[in-house]
Amino acid sequence: MAEQQERRGGGGGEGQGVGGAGEAAGGRRGRRSVSSSSSWLLALGGARPAGRGALAREMSMVLPRLYIGSAAAAGSRKLLAAHGVSHVLNCCTLPNAFEGEPNAPVYLQLHLSDSAADLPQLGAALTQGVAFIHAALLGGGVVLVHCHAGISRSCCLVIAYTVWRQRGLTSEDAFDLVRRSRPQCDPNLGYLCALKDWEKAVADGTVEPPRPTTPLPPSVAQRSRSVMVARD
């Protein structure tokens, strides 16, 4: 159903399906306080608004050079250029907006549908997506993680990255941190359960994202660094 809504351009799929109860669960988690173990993230400078205007609100910076956004943000050349986005992790079934065009970002698409059908492949998707984010940031890139509305799928991937990046951080703490910058963050209930499994696997040392197959191209790396230097 979510995939059909995406193809029609509708906005109802995000955070629904198995996530009907996830909305309530997310609301409860959003009111929790962030534990002291997450102080390393807060010390990075906190999230800043992506810009002004309705379109800018479609994209939120969660960590330095890491954004969550909607398909509308991913489809705006102007917005991507304004923030120096070099990599786009497309978590949904919509096509990559600028793939194959000159100076396009590096893309990875996970084809998640925001439904229970994702669960058998979700562990592999988290591993692949986290590896993509990590390699891009390590190379000096700027990453946009997006789905249809920037509520469920994209937030799930960024929460997974945060848990992996800071070992010992719980998925609840990571949820709180993401929601501080992206208030509409609300992964569906199935995703929340999968994130607890991911948290345990990270703690046990059984998860180690492989090296991605999409390294940062030199031209993109230079463009990203130029944008960051200009901001400084």
Side-chain angles (χ1 to χ4, degrees):
M1 179 62 70
E3 184 174 349
Q4 292 173 349
Q5 289 168 329
E6 285 175 352
R7 288 174 179 169
R8 292 197 302 267
E14 198 71 44
Q16 296 180 7
V18 295
E23 185 171 338
R28 290 193 294 273
R29 287 174 175 80
R31 291 190 290 271
R32 287 165 44 86
S33 60
V34 181
S35 75
S36 58
S37 65
S38 60
S39 59
W40 71 280
L41 287 171
L42 301 180
L44 290 174
R48 297 186 300 273
R52 297 179 179 179
L55 182 58
R57 290 193 291 272
E58 297 287 338
M59 185 169 162
S60 309
M61 189 175 78
V62 177
L63 296 173
R65 297 186 288 117
L66 178 58
Y67 293 83
I68 292 175
S70 66
S76 170
R77 273 280 197 181
K78 183 176 181 180
L79 196 58
L80 296 181
H83 297 286
V85 172
S86 60
H87 285 67
V88 174
L89 177 57
N90 179 357
C91 301
C92 65
T93 57
L94 294 171
N96 296 323
F98 305 110
E99 190 168 34
E101 297 184 11
N103 299 316
V106 177
Y107 285 95
L108 174 65
Q109 186 164 13
L110 298 179
H111 299 282
L112 298 175
S113 62
D114 196 31
S115 73
D118 294 333
L119 299 182
Q121 63 175 357
L122 193 54
L126 294 180
T127 300
Q128 191 177 13
V130 167
F132 180 82
I133 294 169
H134 178 62
L137 295 179
L138 197 63
V142 179
V143 185
L144 169 64
V145 183
H146 87 87
C147 47
H148 185 86
I151 292 174
S152 182
R153 288 163 281 191
S154 55
C155 290
C156 178
L157 265 293
V158 173
I159 290 169
Y161 169 76
T162 307
V163 168
W164 176 82
R165 172 64 180 79
Q166 176 62 19
R167 309 300 168 92
L169 197 71
T170 68
S171 58
E172 288 87 357
D173 286 339
F175 176 99
D176 290 342
L177 285 164
V178 170
R179 210 175 214 198
R180 283 186 171 207
S181 303
R182 186 78 178 170
Q184 57 268 60
C185 168
D186 193 9
N188 73 50
L189 185 58
Y191 287 3
L192 291 174
C193 293
L195 284 169
K196 290 304 295 181
D197 293 338
W198 172 265
E199 175 193 326
K200 185 178 185 300
V202 169
D204 292 344
T206 58
V207 167
E208 189 62 36
R211 295 177 64 86
T213 58
T214 52
L216 186 69
S219 60
V220 175
Q222 183 59 47
R223 187 170 74 248
S224 301
R225 293 189 185 103
S226 298
V227 169
M228 287 186 286
V229 168
R231 285 184 192 160
D232 294 339

